[in-house]
Every structure is written in C-alpha cells, then in structure tokens.
Amino acid sequence: MKAKLILLVLLIGFWLIVAGADSLIHMPILSISAVILTLLITLRFALLPENIKINGSWPQYVFWLFKEIFSSAMDVVKHAWGGDEPIDPEMRWIKTKLKSEEAMVIYANSITLTPGTVTVEIEQGSLLVHALNKSYLKDLERHSMDNHIAKIIK
C-alpha cells in the first residue's frame, strides 16, 4: 500500500511539474490520469498482494466511480444550500456480498471517496457508514457499488 501511495504522489508531482496545473480543467484530468497510471503500474510491476486478482474491467469501475463522485458532490451541494431534502445525518450498517478483505477495503474506500458518505468501521459482511442523508444509505443498500466491485475482483 505504501508503494502505491508513493507512486501516486510521484505521478501527481510529475504532472504538476510538466503540465503546470494553472487552470481548473487540469485537476479532473490529473485525478483520472493519476489513478489510471497508478493502477497500470501497480498491475504491471505486481505491487498488488498475491491473493488479489483484478480483471480487465477495472477501467469501467473507475469511470463509474468518478461519475458517482461527481453526481454525489452535486447532490451534497444541493443539500448544503438548502435543497428539497435537509441534511439529516445517519449511521447504519450496510451489508455486502463481498467476501475478501481486499474487496471490502476497496468498497469502504469507494464509499469514503463519494461525497456525503464515510465508512467508519468494517466487519465481515458489513460496513458502518455515516451519511449526510438517508437517501445516500438507501443507494448503498441497493448494492450497485459492491456489485461493480465484485465484477472487477476475481
């Protein structure tokens, strides 16, 4: 994990030096390319643990996750600016079909990356999630995210 984080920081630093992130358009491009390059280099140099196998459909998951992050960010802004639904924080255990520890960590991190939700604790078969609104928890209970993760973990 430490090697992946160092690699990600180095890629971001290299991008900033070469491209000069002087406009807002560079930040999404930076984020997407850093994640993709980190995954490619990690897979190429076998930096992942031996027991985790990620198949070739991971780019679809990355793009799906970015779409979810963007739509959740817009939703959080609506809630924060006094939209139809008020901010009504709640914590709830979310059950998952994922079995491996690695898949659970990817799921927990994906939830935390999505604005409005934070994974607080992981237990076998479920995650304790804090959300700004009950609707975010209902989305997780539909199992869309963990189904996407199950597709990329062999």
Side-chain angles (χ1 to χ4, degrees), residues 8 12 19 48 50 53 63 67 89 121-122 131 137 147 154:
L8 183 61
I12 289 171
L48 289 173
E50 291 295 321
K53 301 292 183 212
F63 287 115
K67 178 186 74 77
E121 189 175 339
I122 301 174
L137 294 170
N147 288 336
K154 293 181 183 178

Side-chain angles (χ1 to χ4, degrees), residues 5 22-23 30 38-39 42-43 46-47 55 84 112 123 134 136 148:
L5 290 175
D22 57 351
S23 71
L30 164 66
T38 301
L39 287 172
T42 300
L43 292 172
L47 296 175
N55 64 31
D84 296 338
T112 300
E123 286 187 8
K134 294 176 187 178
Y136 299 142
H148 277 85

Side-chain angles (χ1 to χ4, degrees), residues 13 17 34 36 71 84 86 102 109 116-117 124 133-135 139 154:
I17 290 168
I36 290 172
S71 66
D84 296 338
E102 293 83 6
N109 287 332
T117 55
Q124 189 59 35
N133 193 295
K134 294 176 187 178
S135 64
D139 288 344
K154 293 181 183 178

